[in-house]
Amino acid sequence: MVKIADIREPSTSVNILAKIVSLREAKSSRNGSESIYHYGILGDETGTIQFTAWSFPSSVREGDIVELRNCSARIYNDRIRITVGSGSEVVLMPEGKMEVKRTYEERAIKDLKTSDPYVTVTGVITGVSSRETEIKGEKVTLYSGFIDDGTARVRISSFGVPLKEGLRASLRGARVTEFNGRLSLTVGRQTEILEASEPEIQMSRNHLIWEVTSPVGNVSFSGIPVFVGERSGIVTKCSECGRFTDAEGCRDHPDAEKVMDLSCYFTLEDGTGSMSCYLEGDTLKEFLGFSGDLNSADPVEIHQLVVKSLECIPVRVTGDLSIRNESMRMRVHSIGKITDMEISQELLEGD
Amino acid sequence: MEFSKREPSRWIFSRELRDSTQTEGSETDERMRPYIVTPLGTRLKRIFFCGTITTSSIEENSSRLVIADPVGSFYVSASSAGFNEPVRDEMSKFNTGDRIAVMGKVSIFKAETGNFLFTINPERIWSADDALRNFWNARTLIIARRRVLAIKEAQKLEKPSEMMLIRLGYSPEEAHFALLAVNRYKDYDYSRFIESATTSVRKDQSDEINRAKKSILEIIDRHSDDQKGVSYETILGDAAAEGIDKKIIDDSLNALGNDGEVYEVSLKRFKRVS
């Protein structure tokens, strides 16, 4: 039997005695046929490891102790995990007891991925709100907020465990999930919220596009807008829902008033990749230096102003990323031209 | 995940392209341009660069520009046929000595010697100011440095893998590119490449200091008081208003002191040597 802490490299014929820390079921489609597989986390007194089981006894539940024979350790999504295949055996140990050493790797928020679902994140909790909800007939308080570690920010949802506004905390064993194209962290039964005692390390939220692969919030990129969308400029929106309207008005609120606003979209490139960016309203007006009345403005002139102010101008954008139609985009909440100082600092980097 | 389905442009110095000897994909299929794999492992079809026009040849059917960056030249060519035409018209608006930025696809030609020759077919062309040139130089240098660091880490490993490099802190794409370079360019002199690029970009920056020195001397002349000289805050304020950043101002003041052009008459007050 091998201990979980000793499983570091790919190997075959792995035998382990472990506790089922978490167990989930999912469907997989291959060659037109659907099959069910299980995945979750195994633990022993030395640590925890993720597993995938292509065949798994239905009698096994979370918290059970099992002996796994003839499994393999494989690399998947840059992480080692146990695979229980058709040639593996899963033997339930009904009398077994085991203390599991919880091990969750500390991750920067910008590096969070759903493929690495249980992690420790340390940052400042903000924007806390709460509401009552019902889960399986039981009333639970759902606390929502954000956590920001200096590299990025994500939403947190906590079922029953209060979140404290402004607290710098470590969330140990938080679950990384994706909802509505955005990454978030869920505080569940296995998560500990501890006040962070170690001094805060200053980290940068300025990243290269190739460094950020998940839809996190409050990140910055500096680059050059190479294409400005042809519909950038004056737009009309529904006064009720804020959505863009066409000539016939808002489809959901046909009687609502149409209001004018500024909006633009562009492709930002930074030498390592490209990204679609969207910005509108006061952020865009301030960047353009526009303070006039949109009702009397010439749409063609405004479009030209947007293009002239953005195209091929080095800018830094900060905003929230989301995934739509399998591609990442940023809703920009601040934008500014890159200063000589920032360029000099970039030149000094790596010296 | 790539953020956009469009092939993004890569930012590389001309020398990285010139030293490329490897491609991926068909070199004979007209419909599909092959990818170029550079010595730094950059896999590209499209590039974006900034430089100064050193040669311009605008003719009725085709136009050519030679554009110098800190370490060499890019060759840009557009014909009047097809999608190139509007850009070719744009090219004709620029003259030798103008600074421009170009985004375009790279065409490959094989010389009789077997070496590759590269021409850029421009898709977009813009006039470039100091800010764009400095930003492109700085960013392209930092990307090249990071690539070389990843390649050197991979060279140290007995059996390098992308995962090993990711664990060392490189992005998945950097790790992938580093292995491409290690496998395809076994004898490339990376240290020489980085040394040359760094020195050349710094030289461009020292040109900026020379311009800042001239401005600072003018500021000192404008505010000079025979007894007290000009305060550092006044120089900082006026120079910042001209768009010169504090680091460049400090470096330029030090340089002017070393050149014997100005001296510190009292604490943080500067006067021109008469």
Side-chain angles (χ1 to χ4, degrees):
Chain A
M1 292 285 164
V2 65
K3 294 292 177 196
I4 285 173
D6 297 327
I7 304 171
R8 291 166 188 220
E9 296 295 329
S11 61
T12 52
S13 300
V14 176
N15 301 318
I16 50 174
L17 182 67
K19 187 175 188 173
I20 306 285
V21 176
S22 74
L23 181 63
R24 289 175 202 281
E25 196 178 276
K27 283 179 186 168
S28 160
S29 293
R30 273 187 188 174
N31 304 326
S33 65
E34 251 187 12
S35 59
I36 289 176
Y37 69 97
H38 292 81
Y39 67 95
I41 293 175
L42 300 170
D44 69 8
E45 61 275 15
T46 68
T48 56
I49 192 167
Q50 293 177 38
F51 78 97
T52 306
W54 298 104
S55 62
F56 206 70
S58 57
S59 55
V60 175
R61 298 274 185 272
E62 270 186 14
D64 285 347
I65 309 294
V66 289
E67 198 176 301
L68 300 165
R69 296 178 194 149
N70 273 330
C71 301
S72 54
R74 293 180 189 172
I75 303 289
Y76 180 73
N77 273 334
D78 311 331
R79 305 257 301 166
I80 195 137
R81 61 193 294 152
I82 295 293
T83 302
V84 181
S86 55
S88 307
E89 264 186 274
V90 182
V91 181
L92 183 64
M93 313 293 280
E95 302 300 317
K97 280 189 178 172
M98 187 179 279
E99 282 297 315
V100 172
K101 184 183 174 190
R102 300 278 187 163
T103 49
Y104 301 111
E105 287 195 40
E106 178 99 32
R107 294 267 182 258
I109 290 175
K110 83 164 175 63
D111 296 329
L112 294 178
K113 293 181 210 165
T114 51
S115 59
D116 181 13
Y118 291 96
V119 292
T120 295
V121 166
T122 301
V124 178
I125 296 172
T126 56
V128 176
S129 62
S130 65
R131 68 180 169 89
E132 297 301 315
T133 185
E134 214 168 272
I135 298 175
K136 291 178 184 168
E138 258 184 61
K139 278 193 175 173
V140 182
T141 307
L142 169 62
Y143 296 89
S144 303
F146 295 94
I147 185 163
D148 192 320
D149 69 350
T151 68
R153 180 180 66 195
V154 281
R155 180 173 280 281
I156 330 171
S157 299
S158 172
F159 292 89
V161 183
L163 301 172
K164 193 174 163 191
E165 180 74 29
L167 180 72
R168 189 164 168 273
S170 282
L171 310 182
R172 285 194 193 161
R175 183 156 185 260
V176 184
T177 55
E178 197 179 302
F179 180 68
N180 263 349
R182 291 190 172 87
L183 222 58
S184 61
L185 284 172
T186 303
V187 172
R189 279 174 312 189
Q190 79 283 14
T191 314
E192 290 177 274
I193 303 180
L194 304 165
E195 187 164 357
S197 51
E198 67 275 22
E200 189 174 352
I201 301 165
Q202 282 295 321
M203 291 196 274
S204 172
R205 68 177 77 251
N206 300 321
H207 309 297
L208 295 171
I209 289 175
W210 69 12
E211 292 174 323
V212 182
T213 55
S214 293
V216 290
N218 206 16
V219 283
S220 296
F221 301 104
S222 53
I224 292 171
V226 290
F227 291 111
V228 176
E230 58 187 24
R231 291 185 189 167
S232 297
I234 297 176
V235 293
T236 53
K237 289 178 170 177
C238 169
S239 59
E240 284 283 321
C241 63
R243 289 196 198 112
F244 292 121
T245 59
D246 52 25
E248 291 166 16
C250 178
R251 286 176 193 176
D252 293 336
H253 308 97
D255 300 327
E257 194 188 337
K258 287 197 280 185
V259 288
M260 285 181 143
D261 197 359
L262 281 182
S263 168
C264 86
Y265 56 103
F266 58 88
T267 304
L268 184 85
E269 294 205 340
D270 75 344
T272 71
S274 65
M275 182 176 61
S276 298
C277 295
Y278 297 80
L279 77 153
E280 56 190 14
D282 291 343
T283 309
L284 180 55
K285 281 183 189 167
E286 194 181 323
F287 180 72
L288 298 176
F290 179 83
S291 56
D293 180 6
L294 286 174
N295 292 299
S296 57
D298 178 348
V300 176
E301 278 179 19
I302 294 292
H303 173 76
Q304 285 167 348
L305 174 67
V306 174
V307 173
K308 195 179 158 208
S309 306
L310 275 168
E311 212 171 76
C312 214
I313 306 288
V315 292
R316 181 180 303 288
V317 291
T318 303
D320 299 330
L321 302 177
S322 63
I323 294 176
R324 292 279 185 278
N325 302 323
E326 295 184 356
S327 67
M328 194 96 80
R329 65 181 190 170
M330 175 187 265
R331 187 177 185 88
V332 176
H333 52 69
S334 82
I335 180 169
K337 286 184 185 172
I338 293 174
T339 63
D340 284 347
M341 176 69 90
E342 287 172 305
I343 295 170
S344 300
Q345 277 168 351
E346 178 135 346
L347 264 178
L348 292 172
E349 201 180 310
D351 271 359
Chain B
M1 173 182 288
E2 185 49 71
F3 285 94
S4 159
K5 284 167 190 162
R6 172 186 156 272
E7 183 80 31
S9 62
R10 302 294 175 185
W11 297 12
I12 61 168
F13 290 119
S14 55
R15 184 168 162 188
E16 186 179 341
L17 185 62
R18 191 191 67 198
D19 290 351
S20 300
T21 58
Q22 303 287 315
T23 59
E24 261 185 27
S26 171
E27 284 169 34
T28 51
D29 188 345
E30 285 291 321
R31 292 163 301 172
M32 293 287 286
R33 270 172 210 261
Y35 280 96
I36 295 153
V37 179
T38 73
L40 271 63
T42 314
R43 188 173 173 273
L44 62 88
K45 280 187 181 181
R46 176 179 278 127
I47 61 172
F48 174 90
F49 62 91
C50 189
T52 305
I53 299 173
T54 54
T55 307
S56 168
S57 161
I58 308 294
E59 288 167 14
E60 197 176 329
N61 295 323
S62 72
S63 298
R64 290 186 185 81
L65 298 176
V66 180
I67 297 160
D69 75 347
V71 290
S73 294
F74 290 102
Y75 298 87
V76 175
S77 168
S79 69
S80 58
F83 69 91
N84 261 170
E85 193 169 0
V87 189
R88 196 190 71 90
D89 294 344
E90 198 67 23
M91 280 168 77
S92 64
K93 294 177 188 165
F94 295 102
N95 301 309
T96 304
D98 287 349
R99 195 185 292 146
I100 59 170
V102 177
M103 186 170 69
K105 288 189 173 174
V106 184
S107 288
I108 309 168
F109 302 95
K110 212 164 196 170
E112 284 177 2
T113 56
N115 291 343
F116 284 128
L117 301 171
F118 303 100
T119 304
I120 318 302
N121 304 132
E123 297 168 303
R124 304 294 304 273
I125 191 161
W126 299 271
S127 177
D129 59 8
D130 281 356
L132 179 56
R133 188 276 310 260
N134 291 344
F135 178 65
W136 184 81
N137 274 353
R139 175 56 57 86
T140 306
L141 182 61
I142 209 82
I143 293 169
R145 278 178 177 167
R146 283 182 55 149
R147 285 192 197 283
V148 168
L149 284 175
I151 290 165
K152 288 189 171 177
E153 288 291 352
Q155 284 172 333
K156 283 185 214 160
L157 299 166
E158 198 179 331
K159 285 184 183 169
S161 68
E162 283 183 32
M163 198 179 76
M164 287 171 174
L165 293 172
I166 290 166
R167 280 182 182 160
L168 290 171
Y170 295 99
S171 70
E173 195 174 309
E174 273 177 299
H176 180 73
F177 281 167
L179 294 186
L180 262 182
V182 167
N183 292 329
R184 302 250 187 144
Y185 293 89
K186 297 199 186 301
D187 302 317
Y188 193 76
D189 189 343
Y190 292 103
S191 301
R192 204 169 144 213
F193 177 91
I194 283 300
E195 202 182 305
S196 156
T198 305
T199 309
S200 304
V201 169
R202 289 268 157 77
K203 190 191 161 296
D204 270 10
Q205 205 192 18
S206 69
D207 290 346
E208 195 175 352
I209 289 178
N210 287 336
R211 284 194 296 276
K213 278 161 72 177
K214 195 169 164 247
S215 294
I216 289 170
L217 286 176
E218 284 168 8
I219 293 165
I220 292 174
D221 288 343
R222 201 157 61 232
H223 293 280
S224 193
D225 174 309
D226 280 348
Q227 301 300 318
K228 293 181 184 171
V230 182
S231 74
Y232 173 72
E233 286 71 26
T234 304
I235 295 171
L236 202 64
D238 279 23
E242 290 180 30
I244 306 170
D245 86 61
K246 186 175 173 295
K247 186 182 173 300
I248 299 286
I249 297 167
D250 291 341
D251 289 350
S252 307
L253 270 171
N254 284 336
L256 284 167
N258 292 336
D259 296 346
E261 297 251 23
V262 299
Y263 67 102
E264 208 168 345
V265 65
S266 61
L267 186 65
K268 289 204 157 191
R269 293 195 75 87
F270 298 88
K271 204 173 163 188
R272 202 164 170 161
V273 175
S274 47

